[in-house]
Amino acid sequence: MYGYLTGFHKSEARLEASRKIAQHFGASEFIIFIPDPQLDILLPGQGFPQTLNHGEDWQPFLKICLREYHSDFLFFENNEVKTPVCGIPCGEDSVAVLIGGRPAESVLTELVPLLPLLGALLKKEQEVLFSESHAGIAVKAAYKSNLLASTLDSARQALHRSLMREEGGRKDVLELMNRKDEFMDMASHELKTPMTTMKLYIQLIEEKLNGTADKTLLKFIHKAEYQVDKLVTLVNDLLDIRKIQNGKLVFNFSWFSLSELFESAADLVASSKGSHRLNILNKNDKQIYGDRLRLEQVLINFITNAIKYSPGKENIVLELSGDDHHMKLQVTDSGIGIPAEELPFVFERFFRVNEVVREFQGMGLGLYISAEIIRQHGGTIGAESQVNIGSAFWFTLPLEPAASSGS
Ligand code: ADP
């Protein structure tokens, strides 16, 4: 029996040695079960057959064997038939089991004293394995966390660098924008006074020349006046933009007839631009509560655009309509139109349709300012357009109940 024991110190030789012990006692298998520290059940030790079905029968059987010699009939591996088994306690919470035979306890006397030795051996072996595997896991985990830490650290550094860059860039952009705004403010104000003076002088000269027969000089003066008017509009637009940005666009609200404003604005434009025919469809003469000058500005912007962007297409329709709640004003031309993909942006600041940039003068500010004016009146603004067919720009204004009742 002692001879068999030498085969147990290595798990590879263990199967061979255990089968010899089994045969010695007329059984087919000899297995030592030891407690699994993680599962808290008894399982075959290293090197023994590991297949053990029907745990629900085996575990209670092994539990009894922990205390005393015990025999039973149990399934082993894939056997269809139950096999005779007997178990003997071997200390260290382990059990030795003979499968395929049930020798009486008395027959096992030469084996029993050796069992605590085998139990202790397997238990020690399992502890070593267990701590080795734990140590392995710990080493791997340390390696992984090291890797993770350095990845995190380089990500943190990259983020820090890019934040610093972005912060620096943002500061530069903000400073440039501030400087641009300051320049715009200064330039607009500086230009405004001399231009008003120029305009006054031009008007004075115009009056003086009107009485004379010098038509050529008068023509030059008209041209000069036209250019000064353009500059005045541009400077006023720039000043308006700054006011919108600072929330300082001031409105003087009063009751007035939009229909009158509509006709006078049309007359004003028609007299200065003889190239187009303005067809007026005035279907609404209700009073509106708004800023007369600002609404005139929107209307004139619509009409001058309609003229500017429809060269050679002389018909422009101005229509004032409405219902009990709103007034709608629309300017329709048969001009170059706007591509569908650019139409949604026409009310944005500095936006100009790609096609027009080289051919037509402009800054892309008028519609942006118009949209802000209409928004401040609680109205809506919009446009429909088709390339080479024409465009319709419109705004609606809400009618106050007092206004709709005609007061
Ligand atoms: P500007 O005419 O000075 O460029 P606006 O803000 O008045 O600026 O108009 C913005 C852009 O919308 C114009 O540049 C033009 O491309 C387009 N647009 C405006 N009105 C018309 C129109 N009636 N027909 C075609 N395009 C138009």
Side-chain angles (χ1 to χ4, degrees), residues 305 308-309 333 338 351-353 356 362-364 366-367 391 393:
N305 275 351
K308 180 160 70 170
Y309 298 110
D333 62 57
I338 300 167
F351 182 82
R352 305 202 71 215
V353 172
V356 313
M363 289 271 286
L367 288 179
S391 311
F393 280 81

Side-chain angles (χ1 to χ4, degrees), residues 137-294:
I137 290 170
V139 169
K140 271 190 201 150
Y143 174 74
K144 271 194 188 161
S145 47
N146 210 1
L147 209 69
L148 200 67
S150 69
T151 316
L152 271 178
D153 197 50
S154 47
R156 188 189 56 79
Q157 281 179 14
L159 188 67
H160 184 69
R161 276 197 300 276
S162 84
L163 278 176
M164 296 283 281
R165 263 202 307 276
E166 197 173 295
E167 177 71 2
R170 211 165 56 88
K171 272 194 190 139
D172 288 352
V173 172
L174 279 181
E175 200 174 313
L176 276 177
M177 278 169 71
N178 280 342
R179 275 205 238 146
K180 182 210 73 187
D181 287 345
E182 276 168 23
F183 173 76
M184 261 170 67
D185 283 353
M186 197 185 67
S188 319
H189 281 111
E190 289 297 315
L191 284 170
K192 205 171 157 105
T193 325
M195 270 175 358
T196 323
T197 322
M198 263 162 70
K199 172 104 182 162
L200 264 175
Y201 280 125
I202 287 173
Q203 281 170 343
L204 277 175
I205 297 170
E206 215 177 346
E207 262 176 46
K208 291 248 184 266
L209 286 178
N210 266 339
T212 70
D214 197 339
K215 296 287 174 243
T216 325
L217 257 189
L218 203 61
K219 216 167 87 189
F220 289 157
I221 284 297
H222 279 150
K223 281 196 174 165
E225 188 178 16
Y226 172 72
Q227 295 300 337
V228 170
D229 280 348
K230 264 174 69 176
L231 276 175
V232 171
T233 316
L234 174 63
V235 168
N236 283 339
D237 278 357
L238 288 175
L239 286 169
D240 280 351
I241 293 282
R242 292 291 292 140
K243 285 181 198 154
I244 292 173
Q245 277 177 337
N246 298 328
K248 287 187 181 150
L249 197 63
V250 181
F251 291 89
N252 294 310
F253 281 82
S254 65
W255 286 106
F256 68 93
S257 155
L258 189 62
S259 135
E260 271 173 37
L261 173 75
F262 178 65
E263 303 226 352
S264 71
D267 282 350
L268 193 83
V269 182
S271 65
S272 68
K273 311 209 186 241
S275 56
H276 287 71
R277 204 176 42 231
L278 305 181
N279 304 309
I280 298 177
L281 303 173
N282 191 343
K283 301 175 195 160
N284 200 316
D285 60 356
K286 287 177 183 151
Q287 296 266 311
I288 196 97
Y289 190 66
D291 184 317
R292 192 188 162 96
L293 280 178
R294 288 294 184 188

